[in-house]
Amino acid sequence: MPKQSIGYLGPKGTYTEAAALQYNCEAKLVPYPSISLVASAVDSKDVDIGIVPIENSLQGPVTETLDLLIHDSHLSIVNEIVLPIHHSLMVKPGSHIEDIQLIYSHTQALAQCRHFIEQNMGGVQAVASLSTAAAVEDMLASEVPAGAIATERAAALYGAEIIFSGIQDNMANHTRFVVLATHDHNITGDDKTSICFSFDEDRSGMLYHVLGQFAQRDINLAKVESRPNKESLGRYIFLMDLIGHKKDPIVSEALSAIAKDVSMLKVFGSYPRFHSA
Amino acid sequence: MPKQSIGYLGPKGTYTEAAALQYNCEAKLVPYPSISLVASAVDSKDVDIGIVPIENSLQGPVTETLDLLIHDSHLSIVNEIVLPIHHSLMVKPGSHIEDIQLIYSHTQALAQCRHFIEQNMGGVQAVASLSTAAAVEDMLASEVPAGAIATERAAALYGAEIIFSGIQDNMANHTRFVVLATHDHNITGDDKTSICFSFDEDRSGMLYHVLGQFAQRDINLAKVESRPNKESLGRYIFLMDLIGHKKDPIVSEALSAIAKDVSMLKVFGSYPRFHSA
């Protein structure tokens, strides 16, 4: 059987690569520079599946992934992976925290380490990089003494020296990733279904009515989110994760009932619920 | 009467400064480098009021503002301002679009001009700056030929030359700003109230029940949003804007009823609804 190929949000050393390794450590991993290019690679069968971040427990949704699923893709979610996030502070080998004048990272990682930075590196200028891994390269190329916040693996890959580990402000820091594919996942008996929907009319009772379809059937909601519909301010597309598979009779019945109430309903997929080892 | 002083998310030339000028063009405007520093300045009475972005029609919520309102502030929302967003591409005077090798902007502005960049500047590297105004400074300081995406006012303030205007992909691009103060706003008869709430228990029917309190009383919802509760993945704080003032008898009754169902309810304020001129 040929090796599975996985496209992921790169470069090497990102948290998404760590999620891909956890999902299948024997796969051929192919980095892409953006979430939409990961999806395109799956669509065009350049890779078997794609892995992208969808939600962080502190920062909230990864809006590029939600908008891709809503507007620009017909791929299915076939799995989810939840990874604890441990940020490390790294420098050029031999440098010290007192030397640092610039601190590079992805804006989300900078935000997640705000208290550490304020307490230990007051006055240091933060610089936004395109990913945590790119921040390590930016730091190594910097002419003024700099630090980077990234994964331990990025330090090893790029030859940086870790001077502090676990510097995130909140230890309940997890990121959820989804596995995208051109096929569906079968029922396992312990599944989750991700959907989105919207309304043409802006009536107050509409969302209440939809939630009622689930509440009446004792279907649990694992996530409720909204995104702007991109047409006018104050109009939303709702995203929900519900417990159960779309082929479960009760979920299927609820989805059929909802389809009559909404102007748009898209089922992103049903997939096994993640349980940490 | 002394001039009103307004703290805003700076530097000069940002969209927030434009919102502050629209709100009161005669006020003394004081830029702050972050949303939380604007709030601190209002809290400590260094300025009379503060103006920060809360929501964009394409990108969705400004999560730093939502998290500040939920977790870190007792300020009230006393007004809202909605501003159309027009992005311009600017360069060092005398440069041309063909010369550009790097394009600087805030990540949100880069995302909002993605199609323009792909069609007109294929292969140009995008660089994230801390604000659209900072992007103009970064562009002017760049050693390789660069462009920046920012406001027309930023071009004028920093001496850059605009080569394209209105380059945002979607013309329905508006940002909503809120005015923060230590006082409340009186009833005007055409008001909005912003609240957040959460549940201790993770039961599927809870959100349905809360929405029912509004639906039963014909109270319209202008916004429904969720944010992670920062304690565990999949637990949320819900944010809603509803039509009416918290002192309107029917809104007051609904809020009292909800307070019994939820573990936390915070009213951010009631304020006049914005209507474009």
Side-chain angles (χ1 to χ4, degrees), chain A residues 81-109:
Chain A
I81 306 150
V82 177
L83 207 71
I85 299 297
H86 292 289
H87 291 306
S88 297
L89 175 65
M90 54 200 70
V91 292
K92 284 183 199 172
S95 301
H96 302 97
I97 191 166
E98 314 80 81
D99 305 330
I100 296 176
Q101 292 178 30
L102 293 177
I103 177 90
Y104 288 93
S105 197
H106 189 267
T107 47
Q108 290 226 341

PDB file of all heavy atoms in Angstrom, chain A residues 81-109:
ATOM      1  N   ILE A  81      -8.160  16.604  15.186  1.00  0.00           N
ATOM      2  CA  ILE A  81      -6.997  16.343  16.037  1.00  0.00           C
ATOM      3  C   ILE A  81      -6.912  17.517  17.016  1.00  0.00           C
ATOM      4  O   ILE A  81      -6.994  18.670  16.581  1.00  0.00           O
ATOM      5  CB  ILE A  81      -5.687  16.308  15.214  1.00  0.00           C
ATOM      6  CG1 ILE A  81      -5.777  15.313  14.061  1.00  0.00           C
ATOM      7  CG2 ILE A  81      -4.470  16.034  16.107  1.00  0.00           C
ATOM      8  CD1 ILE A  81      -4.940  15.710  12.854  1.00  0.00           C
ATOM      9  N   VAL A  82      -6.753  17.242  18.291  1.00  0.00           N
ATOM     10  CA  VAL A  82      -6.589  18.327  19.269  1.00  0.00           C
ATOM     11  C   VAL A  82      -5.181  18.236  19.853  1.00  0.00           C
ATOM     12  O   VAL A  82      -4.759  17.160  20.288  1.00  0.00           O
ATOM     13  CB  VAL A  82      -7.647  18.249  20.387  1.00  0.00           C
ATOM     14  CG1 VAL A  82      -7.405  19.344  21.425  1.00  0.00           C
ATOM     15  CG2 VAL A  82      -9.048  18.389  19.799  1.00  0.00           C
ATOM     16  N   LEU A  83      -4.460  19.350  19.819  1.00  0.00           N
ATOM     17  CA  LEU A  83      -3.057  19.358  20.239  1.00  0.00           C
ATOM     18  C   LEU A  83      -2.844  20.419  21.318  1.00  0.00           C
ATOM     19  O   LEU A  83      -3.268  21.557  21.143  1.00  0.00           O
ATOM     20  CB  LEU A  83      -2.223  19.733  19.015  1.00  0.00           C
ATOM     21  CG  LEU A  83      -0.792  19.255  18.907  1.00  0.00           C
ATOM     22  CD1 LEU A  83      -0.753  17.753  18.643  1.00  0.00           C
ATOM     23  CD2 LEU A  83      -0.110  19.985  17.751  1.00  0.00           C
ATOM     24  N   PRO A  84      -2.177  20.062  22.441  1.00  0.00           N
ATOM     25  CA  PRO A  84      -1.809  21.108  23.395  1.00  0.00           C
ATOM     26  C   PRO A  84      -0.724  21.991  22.784  1.00  0.00           C
ATOM     27  O   PRO A  84       0.138  21.500  22.052  1.00  0.00           O
ATOM     28  CB  PRO A  84      -1.270  20.328  24.597  1.00  0.00           C
ATOM     29  CG  PRO A  84      -0.899  18.991  24.067  1.00  0.00           C
ATOM     30  CD  PRO A  84      -1.720  18.729  22.834  1.00  0.00           C
ATOM     31  N   ILE A  85      -0.794  23.298  23.069  1.00  0.00           N
ATOM     32  CA  ILE A  85       0.159  24.247  22.484  1.00  0.00           C
ATOM     33  C   ILE A  85       1.184  24.643  23.547  1.00  0.00           C
ATOM     34  O   ILE A  85       0.824  25.179  24.596  1.00  0.00           O
ATOM     35  CB  ILE A  85      -0.582  25.505  21.975  1.00  0.00           C
ATOM     36  CG1 ILE A  85      -1.598  25.138  20.888  1.00  0.00           C
ATOM     37  CG2 ILE A  85       0.399  26.557  21.474  1.00  0.00           C
ATOM     38  CD1 ILE A  85      -1.019  24.552  19.622  1.00  0.00           C
ATOM     39  N   HIS A  86       2.451  24.328  23.285  1.00  0.00           N
ATOM     40  CA  HIS A  86       3.546  24.725  24.179  1.00  0.00           C
ATOM     41  C   HIS A  86       4.491  25.640  23.406  1.00  0.00           C
ATOM     42  O   HIS A  86       5.170  25.192  22.505  1.00  0.00           O
ATOM     43  CB  HIS A  86       4.335  23.496  24.656  1.00  0.00           C
ATOM     44  CG  HIS A  86       3.557  22.614  25.563  1.00  0.00           C
ATOM     45  ND1 HIS A  86       3.244  22.964  26.849  1.00  0.00           N
ATOM     46  CD2 HIS A  86       3.004  21.389  25.368  1.00  0.00           C
ATOM     47  CE1 HIS A  86       2.543  22.000  27.419  1.00  0.00           C
ATOM     48  NE2 HIS A  86       2.366  21.029  26.536  1.00  0.00           N
ATOM     49  N   HIS A  87       4.500  26.928  23.795  1.00  0.00           N
ATOM     50  CA  HIS A  87       5.380  27.866  23.104  1.00  0.00           C
ATOM     51  C   HIS A  87       6.747  27.916  23.782  1.00  0.00           C
ATOM     52  O   HIS A  87       6.833  27.882  25.012  1.00  0.00           O
ATOM     53  CB  HIS A  87       4.798  29.276  23.131  1.00  0.00           C
ATOM     54  CG  HIS A  87       3.571  29.452  22.298  1.00  0.00           C
ATOM     55  ND1 HIS A  87       3.527  29.117  20.966  1.00  0.00           N
ATOM     56  CD2 HIS A  87       2.341  29.936  22.590  1.00  0.00           C
ATOM     57  CE1 HIS A  87       2.316  29.392  20.488  1.00  0.00           C
ATOM     58  NE2 HIS A  87       1.579  29.881  21.451  1.00  0.00           N
ATOM     59  N   SER A  88       7.791  28.041  22.976  1.00  0.00           N
ATOM     60  CA  SER A  88       9.142  28.214  23.508  1.00  0.00           C
ATOM     61  C   SER A  88       9.737  29.514  22.987  1.00  0.00           C
ATOM     62  O   SER A  88       9.465  29.932  21.857  1.00  0.00           O
ATOM     63  CB  SER A  88      10.044  27.051  23.064  1.00  0.00           C
ATOM     64  OG  SER A  88       9.552  25.840  23.598  1.00  0.00           O
ATOM     65  N   LEU A  89      10.571  30.123  23.839  1.00  0.00           N
ATOM     66  CA  LEU A  89      11.312  31.322  23.431  1.00  0.00           C
ATOM     67  C   LEU A  89      12.699  30.881  22.993  1.00  0.00           C
ATOM     68  O   LEU A  89      13.400  30.180  23.746  1.00  0.00           O
ATOM     69  CB  LEU A  89      11.417  32.305  24.597  1.00  0.00           C
ATOM     70  CG  LEU A  89      12.274  33.555  24.333  1.00  0.00           C
ATOM     71  CD1 LEU A  89      11.668  34.432  23.243  1.00  0.00           C
ATOM     72  CD2 LEU A  89      12.442  34.364  25.620  1.00  0.00           C
ATOM     73  N   MET A  90      13.096  31.249  21.769  1.00  0.00           N
ATOM     74  CA  MET A  90      14.393  30.807  21.256  1.00  0.00           C
ATOM     75  C   MET A  90      15.177  31.977  20.677  1.00  0.00           C
ATOM     76  O   MET A  90      14.600  32.997  20.284  1.00  0.00           O
ATOM     77  CB  MET A  90      14.202  29.697  20.217  1.00  0.00           C
ATOM     78  CG  MET A  90      13.282  30.035  19.080  1.00  0.00           C
ATOM     79  SD  MET A  90      12.663  28.533  18.256  1.00  0.00           S
ATOM     80  CE  MET A  90      11.552  27.842  19.485  1.00  0.00           C
ATOM     81  N   VAL A  91      16.489  31.786  20.638  1.00  0.00           N
ATOM     82  CA  VAL A  91      17.407  32.839  20.182  1.00  0.00           C
ATOM     83  C   VAL A  91      18.507  32.201  19.319  1.00  0.00           C
ATOM     84  O   VAL A  91      18.571  30.972  19.195  1.00  0.00           O
ATOM     85  CB  VAL A  91      18.060  33.569  21.394  1.00  0.00           C
ATOM     86  CG1 VAL A  91      17.011  34.375  22.162  1.00  0.00           C
ATOM     87  CG2 VAL A  91      18.765  32.569  22.312  1.00  0.00           C
ATOM     88  N   LYS A  92      19.384  33.046  18.750  1.00  0.00           N
ATOM     89  CA  LYS A  92      20.583  32.518  18.099  1.00  0.00           C
ATOM     90  C   LYS A  92      21.437  31.856  19.171  1.00  0.00           C
ATOM     91  O   LYS A  92      21.557  32.403  20.284  1.00  0.00           O
ATOM     92  CB  LYS A  92      21.387  33.661  17.464  1.00  0.00           C
ATOM     93  CG  LYS A  92      20.781  34.183  16.179  1.00  0.00           C
ATOM     94  CD  LYS A  92      21.670  35.281  15.569  1.00  0.00           C
ATOM     95  CE  LYS A  92      20.860  36.089  14.580  1.00  0.00           C
ATOM     96  NZ  LYS A  92      21.538  37.272  14.058  1.00  0.00           N
ATOM     97  N   PRO A  93      22.047  30.696  18.892  1.00  0.00           N
ATOM     98  CA  PRO A  93      22.827  30.003  19.924  1.00  0.00           C
ATOM     99  C   PRO A  93      23.817  30.953  20.603  1.00  0.00           C
ATOM    100  O   PRO A  93      24.520  31.716  19.937  1.00  0.00           O
ATOM    101  CB  PRO A  93      23.521  28.898  19.140  1.00  0.00           C
ATOM    102  CG  PRO A  93      22.593  28.615  18.001  1.00  0.00           C
ATOM    103  CD  PRO A  93      21.996  29.948  17.632  1.00  0.00           C
ATOM    104  N   GLY A  94      23.838  30.935  21.934  1.00  0.00           N
ATOM    105  CA  GLY A  94      24.761  31.772  22.693  1.00  0.00           C
ATOM    106  C   GLY A  94      24.177  33.102  23.140  1.00  0.00           C
ATOM    107  O   GLY A  94      24.768  33.791  23.968  1.00  0.00           O
ATOM    108  N   SER A  95      23.009  33.503  22.591  1.00  0.00           N
ATOM    109  CA  SER A  95      22.407  34.779  23.004  1.00  0.00           C
ATOM    110  C   SER A  95      21.635  34.608  24.314  1.00  0.00           C
ATOM    111  O   SER A  95      21.324  33.489  24.723  1.00  0.00           O
ATOM    112  CB  SER A  95      21.428  35.282  21.942  1.00  0.00           C
ATOM    113  OG  SER A  95      22.094  35.454  20.723  1.00  0.00           O
ATOM    114  N   HIS A  96      21.311  35.728  24.956  1.00  0.00           N
ATOM    115  CA  HIS A  96      20.583  35.699  26.226  1.00  0.00           C
ATOM    116  C   HIS A  96      19.339  36.565  26.147  1.00  0.00           C
ATOM    117  O   HIS A  96      19.244  37.453  25.293  1.00  0.00           O
ATOM    118  CB  HIS A  96      21.491  36.183  27.367  1.00  0.00           C
ATOM    119  CG  HIS A  96      22.719  35.358  27.497  1.00  0.00           C
ATOM    120  ND1 HIS A  96      23.913  35.734  26.939  1.00  0.00           N
ATOM    121  CD2 HIS A  96      22.925  34.150  28.086  1.00  0.00           C
ATOM    122  CE1 HIS A  96      24.818  34.785  27.178  1.00  0.00           C
ATOM    123  NE2 HIS A  96      24.245  33.817  27.870  1.00  0.00           N
ATOM    124  N   ILE A  97      18.411  36.330  27.089  1.00  0.00           N
ATOM    125  CA  ILE A  97      17.138  37.068  27.077  1.00  0.00           C
ATOM    126  C   ILE A  97      17.381  38.575  27.201  1.00  0.00           C
ATOM    127  O   ILE A  97      16.671  39.368  26.598  1.00  0.00           O
ATOM    128  CB  ILE A  97      16.159  36.525  28.153  1.00  0.00           C
ATOM    129  CG1 ILE A  97      14.752  37.121  27.953  1.00  0.00           C
ATOM    130  CG2 ILE A  97      16.650  36.774  29.574  1.00  0.00           C
ATOM    131  CD1 ILE A  97      13.653  36.420  28.734  1.00  0.00           C
ATOM    132  N   GLU A  98      18.393  38.998  27.957  1.00  0.00           N
ATOM    133  CA  GLU A  98      18.667  40.441  28.137  1.00  0.00           C
ATOM    134  C   GLU A  98      19.058  41.113  26.816  1.00  0.00           C
ATOM    135  O   GLU A  98      18.926  42.334  26.679  1.00  0.00           O
ATOM    136  CB  GLU A  98      19.828  40.709  29.121  1.00  0.00           C
ATOM    137  CG  GLU A  98      19.838  39.961  30.425  1.00  0.00           C
ATOM    138  CD  GLU A  98      20.374  38.540  30.263  1.00  0.00           C
ATOM    139  OE1 GLU A  98      21.588  38.313  30.215  1.00  0.00           O
ATOM    140  OE2 GLU A  98      19.490  37.646  30.202  1.00  0.00           O
ATOM    141  N   ASP A  99      19.605  40.339  25.869  1.00  0.00           N
ATOM    142  CA  ASP A  99      20.070  40.923  24.606  1.00  0.00           C
ATOM    143  C   ASP A  99      18.920  41.270  23.657  1.00  0.00           C
ATOM    144  O   ASP A  99      19.078  42.081  22.750  1.00  0.00           O
ATOM    145  CB  ASP A  99      20.975  39.922  23.860  1.00  0.00           C
ATOM    146  CG  ASP A  99      22.146  39.442  24.718  1.00  0.00           C
ATOM    147  OD1 ASP A  99      22.589  40.240  25.577  1.00  0.00           O
ATOM    148  OD2 ASP A  99      22.595  38.298  24.527  1.00  0.00           O
ATOM    149  N   ILE A 100      17.758  40.611  23.850  1.00  0.00           N
ATOM    150  CA  ILE A 100      16.695  40.657  22.838  1.00  0.00           C
ATOM    151  C   ILE A 100      16.099  42.060  22.683  1.00  0.00           C
ATOM    152  O   ILE A 100      15.681  42.668  23.657  1.00  0.00           O
ATOM    153  CB  ILE A 100      15.574  39.643  23.205  1.00  0.00           C
ATOM    154  CG1 ILE A 100      16.132  38.225  23.166  1.00  0.00           C
ATOM    155  CG2 ILE A 100      14.371  39.788  22.275  1.00  0.00           C
ATOM    156  CD1 ILE A 100      15.142  37.156  23.610  1.00  0.00           C
ATOM    157  N   GLN A 101      16.081  42.557  21.447  1.00  0.00           N
ATOM    158  CA  GLN A 101      15.473  43.861  21.164  1.00  0.00           C
ATOM    159  C   GLN A 101      14.182  43.723  20.350  1.00  0.00           C
ATOM    160  O   GLN A 101      13.315  44.585  20.385  1.00  0.00           O
ATOM    161  CB  GLN A 101      16.464  44.754  20.406  1.00  0.00           C
ATOM    162  CG  GLN A 101      17.659  45.183  21.261  1.00  0.00           C
ATOM    163  CD  GLN A 101      18.647  46.033  20.463  1.00  0.00           C
ATOM    164  OE1 GLN A 101      18.274  46.743  19.548  1.00  0.00           O
ATOM    165  NE2 GLN A 101      19.923  45.942  20.827  1.00  0.00           N
ATOM    166  N   LEU A 102      14.083  42.620  19.588  1.00  0.00           N
ATOM    167  CA  LEU A 102      12.881  42.358  18.791  1.00  0.00           C
ATOM    168  C   LEU A 102      12.411  40.952  19.109  1.00  0.00           C
ATOM    169  O   LEU A 102      13.235  40.052  19.296  1.00  0.00           O
ATOM    170  CB  LEU A 102      13.191  42.398  17.289  1.00  0.00           C
ATOM    171  CG  LEU A 102      13.583  43.722  16.646  1.00  0.00           C
ATOM    172  CD1 LEU A 102      13.903  43.479  15.169  1.00  0.00           C
ATOM    173  CD2 LEU A 102      12.456  44.731  16.790  1.00  0.00           C
ATOM    174  N   ILE A 103      11.089  40.748  19.145  1.00  0.00           N
ATOM    175  CA  ILE A 103      10.581  39.397  19.362  1.00  0.00           C
ATOM    176  C   ILE A 103       9.635  39.052  18.207  1.00  0.00           C
ATOM    177  O   ILE A 103       8.635  39.716  17.981  1.00  0.00           O
ATOM    178  CB  ILE A 103       9.928  39.255  20.759  1.00  0.00           C
ATOM    179  CG1 ILE A 103       9.323  37.877  20.963  1.00  0.00           C
ATOM    180  CG2 ILE A 103       8.873  40.313  21.053  1.00  0.00           C
ATOM    181  CD1 ILE A 103      10.286  36.920  21.552  1.00  0.00           C
ATOM    182  N   TYR A 104      10.023  38.008  17.454  1.00  0.00           N
ATOM    183  CA  TYR A 104       9.250  37.592  16.280  1.00  0.00           C
ATOM    184  C   TYR A 104       8.327  36.426  16.626  1.00  0.00           C
ATOM    185  O   TYR A 104       8.736  35.489  17.310  1.00  0.00           O
ATOM    186  CB  TYR A 104      10.190  37.078  15.182  1.00  0.00           C
ATOM    187  CG  TYR A 104      11.006  38.142  14.488  1.00  0.00           C
ATOM    188  CD1 TYR A 104      12.288  38.467  14.924  1.00  0.00           C
ATOM    189  CD2 TYR A 104      10.499  38.810  13.378  1.00  0.00           C
ATOM    190  CE1 TYR A 104      13.045  39.431  14.279  1.00  0.00           C
ATOM    191  CE2 TYR A 104      11.255  39.773  12.723  1.00  0.00           C
ATOM    192  CZ  TYR A 104      12.521  40.082  13.167  1.00  0.00           C
ATOM    193  OH  TYR A 104      13.258  41.032  12.521  1.00  0.00           O
ATOM    194  N   SER A 105       7.084  36.488  16.124  1.00  0.00           N
ATOM    195  CA  SER A 105       6.244  35.297  16.112  1.00  0.00           C
ATOM    196  C   SER A 105       4.992  35.566  15.290  1.00  0.00           C
ATOM    197  O   SER A 105       4.790  36.679  14.803  1.00  0.00           O
ATOM    198  CB  SER A 105       5.857  34.840  17.521  1.00  0.00           C
ATOM    199  OG  SER A 105       5.399  33.500  17.468  1.00  0.00           O
ATOM    200  N   HIS A 106       4.166  34.537  15.118  1.00  0.00           N
ATOM    201  CA  HIS A 106       2.849  34.743  14.553  1.00  0.00           C
ATOM    202  C   HIS A 106       2.056  35.585  15.554  1.00  0.00           C
ATOM    203  O   HIS A 106       2.241  35.445  16.759  1.00  0.00           O
ATOM    204  CB  HIS A 106       2.171  33.387  14.341  1.00  0.00           C
ATOM    205  CG  HIS A 106       0.896  33.483  13.567  1.00  0.00           C
ATOM    206  ND1 HIS A 106      -0.326  33.617  14.176  1.00  0.00           N
ATOM    207  CD2 HIS A 106       0.669  33.505  12.243  1.00  0.00           C
ATOM    208  CE1 HIS A 106      -1.260  33.693  13.242  1.00  0.00           C
ATOM    209  NE2 HIS A 106      -0.675  33.632  12.058  1.00  0.00           N
ATOM    210  N   THR A 107       1.160  36.458  15.059  1.00  0.00           N
ATOM    211  CA  THR A 107       0.430  37.355  15.975  1.00  0.00           C
ATOM    212  C   THR A 107      -0.329  36.556  17.041  1.00  0.00           C
ATOM    213  O   THR A 107      -0.432  37.014  18.175  1.00  0.00           O
ATOM    214  CB  THR A 107      -0.583  38.252  15.220  1.00  0.00           C
ATOM    215  OG1 THR A 107      -1.324  37.445  14.324  1.00  0.00           O
ATOM    216  CG2 THR A 107       0.130  39.334  14.434  1.00  0.00           C
ATOM    217  N   GLN A 108      -0.865  35.381  16.716  1.00  0.00           N
ATOM    218  CA  GLN A 108      -1.601  34.595  17.717  1.00  0.00           C
ATOM    219  C   GLN A 108      -0.663  34.140  18.829  1.00  0.00           C
ATOM    220  O   GLN A 108      -1.016  34.171  20.004  1.00  0.00           O
ATOM    221  CB  GLN A 108      -2.274  33.381  17.068  1.00  0.00           C
ATOM    222  CG  GLN A 108      -3.442  33.774  16.167  1.00  0.00           C
ATOM    223  CD  GLN A 108      -4.681  32.917  16.393  1.00  0.00           C
ATOM    224  OE1 GLN A 108      -4.598  31.833  16.952  1.00  0.00           O
ATOM    225  NE2 GLN A 108      -5.832  33.395  15.973  1.00  0.00           N
ATOM    226  N   ALA A 109       0.538  33.696  18.483  1.00  0.00           N
ATOM    227  CA  ALA A 109       1.488  33.248  19.508  1.00  0.00           C
ATOM    228  C   ALA A 109       1.948  34.432  20.360  1.00  0.00           C
ATOM    229  O   ALA A 109       2.093  34.309  21.581  1.00  0.00           O
ATOM    230  CB  ALA A 109       2.672  32.546  18.848  1.00  0.00           C
TER     231      ALA A 109
END
